[in-house]
Structures are given as C-alpha cells and as structure tokens.
Amino acid sequence: MGRLTAETRARNEAAIRAAMDRLLAGAIPPGGGCDLKTLAAEAGVTRTGFYLKGERPGPYQHLAEEFERRVKEAQAAGIVTDPRASQIERLKTQVAELKERVAERDADLAELTAFKSLAISRLAAQHEEIEQLRKQAAAAGNVRRLPAARPGSAPFGSCS
C-alpha cells in the first residue's frame, strides 16, 4: 500500500468518524459488533491503520483509541451500543442461575436417594424381624392365630 495523501487521509478519517458515530448509536450491521474490525469495514479502510506499525503509530490509531474510549464511556454510562454484548451478559446470568438450580436439584436428588436407601434397609430389617418373630411364635406353640375377618363384616365401632 502506498503513502496516503492528505486528502485521502482526511476523507478516510471523516468516514471513520461517521462509522464510529453510527456504531455508537447502535446501528450495528448484521454479523458485526461494536469493535475495530466492524469500524474498519463500515468506514471502508483496512484494519491495520488502527494499529502500530513497528515503532510508529498507524495513521488512524488516534481514532481507534478515541473509539475504544467512547465505547468504554458508553458502557460505564449503561448505554448498550452492541445488543450482542447485552445478550451475552443476559445469557451468562441465565447460565449461572441454571447451574445453581441444577446443583440444588442434584443435592435434593442425593438426599432423596439416601433417604430411599435408608427406608428400604429399615423395611428389610423390619421384615426380617417379623419373619423371625413368626418363626419363634410357631416354634413355641403357645400362641394362637386370630380368626380371619369374614368378607363383608365390619369390626365393632366402625362407621361403615
């Protein structure tokens, strides 16, 4: 790329400033963002003009610094220049909330699993004890079984 004439440089700076104002006003093109890459594309200049070239500054580096400063000021003021950035922040918050809910559900599930395990082991122990008592009662021979209830008969004092 050859040297820039004063006229070309002035025209490019005007295009960059106009693109900067559009981007900061929220007119972000599809697939773009509020960044130097989109600024260069919108202004029709190469991105390399915004960066150092060895020891010397790029021809539009001062505009890049101004753009970055204005973006930070807008963000500090709560102005959303890039809707994607606010969407990313909203999604990050949502992901954090969902992670917290999943962790709570995992803890609840672990607690319920432990309770289920304890309940099953207690039932098994009770069943074993009942079986043992039945065997002892049958072996002793001094325990009589109560007669089974007849179908259709209700015990005394029932409401049915």
Side-chain angles (χ1 to χ4, degrees), residues 2-143:
R3 284 199 134 356
L4 291 174
T5 64
E7 180 183 324
T8 304
R9 184 176 177 148
R11 191 174 42 237
N12 286 347
E13 285 187 11
I16 292 169
R17 287 189 188 282
M20 189 183 313
D21 291 337
R22 285 193 309 272
L23 291 177
L24 290 170
I28 309 291
C34 198
D35 54 14
L36 289 177
K37 179 180 178 183
T38 306
L39 177 64
E42 284 292 297
V45 298
T46 62
R47 219 175 10 172
T48 58
F50 293 122
Y51 304 107
L52 284 174
K53 300 190 186 306
E55 293 292 316
R56 66 175 211 261
Y60 313 118
Q61 186 172 353
H62 65 287
L63 293 174
E65 291 167 357
E66 177 185 342
F67 178 67
E68 289 172 352
R69 180 186 49 78
R70 287 177 62 187
V71 167
K72 286 180 185 173
E73 287 173 357
Q75 289 172 344
I79 300 170
V80 178
T81 55
D82 190 352
R84 290 183 315 157
S86 62
Q87 181 182 22
I88 288 169
E89 288 305 313
R90 180 181 53 80
L91 290 174
K92 283 181 180 179
T93 303
Q94 188 177 12
V95 165
E97 289 171 1
L98 290 173
K99 283 183 178 181
E100 184 177 325
R101 285 177 53 193
V102 166
E104 288 173 5
R105 294 244 170 105
D106 286 347
D108 290 345
L109 185 60
E111 184 180 326
L112 290 172
T113 301
F115 176 76
K116 176 185 166 188
S117 205
L118 180 64
I120 289 173
S121 67
R122 284 183 179 171
L123 286 172
Q126 289 172 354
H127 178 71
E128 188 67 34
E129 185 178 353
I130 290 169
E131 290 295 319
Q132 187 69 27
L133 289 172
R134 282 185 181 158
K135 286 179 187 176
Q136 286 176 0
N142 62 355
V143 179

